[in-house]
Amino acid sequence: MPNALEQLLLPAECLLCRNLLAFTEADHLVCAPCRYRWRPIRSPWCDRCGQPGPSFGPCRLCAQWPAALVWARSAVWLDAGARDAVHALKYRGLGRVAQDLADVMVRHLPRPPAGAALVPVPLAPRRQRERGYNQSARLAAALSARWEIPLRDCLIRRRETRTQTALTPEARLANVAGAFQTRNAAAGPCILVDDVFTTGATLVAAAAALAAAGVQEIGAVTFGRASVPDFI
Ligand SMILES: [Zn+2]
Ligand SMILES: [Zn+2]
C-alpha cells in the first residue's frame, strides 16, 4: 500500500501499544517507548555469529558456516513487541514499519565497513507478489539511507522453502540449500539483510550463493534474533 494511503487510513496511534503518537513521532508506526522496550542483544556473544551466551570451545551455531560468512549480528531479541512489529512488516502489509526497525538496528549494530554493500535476502517471486514487497528489501533500503552505504539487489530466490519452525538446524540447512542464486554480483564485501535470525540457515544459503559468485567477505544483519531452540 502506498505510504500516503497508509497514513490516511491509519490513526496516528502506536501500532503496538495504541497510545497516540506524539506530533514529533508522526513518521513512526511504533512509539518511542515501545521501541526502547525492545531488548537489545548484549555480549558476551560468539564473535562470529553474534549468538549470546557463554562459549566453551567452538560455537555450535556457526562452526559449519561457509568461510566467507565472517560475521552476523542482530539488534534485538524477538520477543513480545519486537515479534509483533515483524509480524506487521511481513503479514499486515505495513512496509513502513521497516523504518522503525531500521532505527533500532542502526542504534544497536556496528556501522558496516566502508566499501560494503547491503544485500537483501529475497523472497521467491510468488511470495513477493502475494505480499506486494520484500520485507528484507524494505529494511535494507532504510539501512542504506541511514548508514549511507549502497544497496545491491544481487540475489534471487529460486524457490520458497517450507516453514522452518519445526526443523532441527541440520534439517534447516538442507531445506534452504541451493535456494538462492546471484545476478550481477560484484566481488566486493556484502552485508546480507534479513528480518529475523533463528539458526542462520537462510543466511548461510544466501552467503553460499554469494561466495560461489566470488564474494569473499560477507556479513549479515537482522532486526530480531529468536531465542535458540532447545535442540541446538
Ligand atoms: Zn507504543
Ligand atoms: Zn558462533
Side-chain angles (χ1 to χ4, degrees), residues 59-191:
C59 172
R60 289 157 79 189
L61 196 55
C62 64
Q64 308 298 322
W65 282 12
L69 182 55
V70 288
W71 62 272
R73 291 290 183 273
S74 309
V76 300
W77 287 110
L78 195 69
D79 44 29
R83 187 181 295 277
D84 291 342
V86 169
H87 194 269
L89 174 65
K90 289 171 80 160
Y91 303 116
R92 293 177 56 192
L94 295 172
R96 213 153 52 85
V97 81
Q99 303 292 332
D100 292 336
L101 274 50
D103 280 349
V104 172
M105 292 173 80
V106 167
R107 193 186 315 143
H108 296 304
L109 298 175
R111 191 189 180 88
L118 297 171
V119 179
V121 171
L123 296 174
R126 204 183 85 187
R127 180 79 50 96
Q128 177 149 347
R129 272 199 304 277
E130 289 165 0
R131 195 165 292 171
Y133 59 88
N134 170 11
Q135 73 276 0
S136 300
R138 291 291 181 99
L139 280 178
L143 290 171
S144 169
R146 285 160 177 76
W147 276 329
E148 298 180 319
I149 58 177
L151 202 58
R152 198 185 295 149
D153 196 9
C154 62
L155 277 177
I156 299 167
R157 195 167 193 139
R158 286 201 282 222
R159 56 184 171 81
E160 200 50 67
T161 42
R162 64 201 166 94
T163 182
Q164 308 233 74
T165 322
L167 302 179
T168 64
E170 292 74 22
R172 283 173 181 241
L173 277 176
N175 190 31
V176 293
F180 299 97
Q181 66 185 62
T182 56
R183 60 174 174 212
N184 309 320
C190 288
I191 297 164

Side-chain angles (χ1 to χ4, degrees), residues 34-46:
C34 279
R35 295 201 307 277
Y36 277 90
R37 218 169 280 141
W38 295 341
R39 268 190 318 135
I41 314 272
R42 302 214 188 272
S43 63
W45 50 46
C46 169

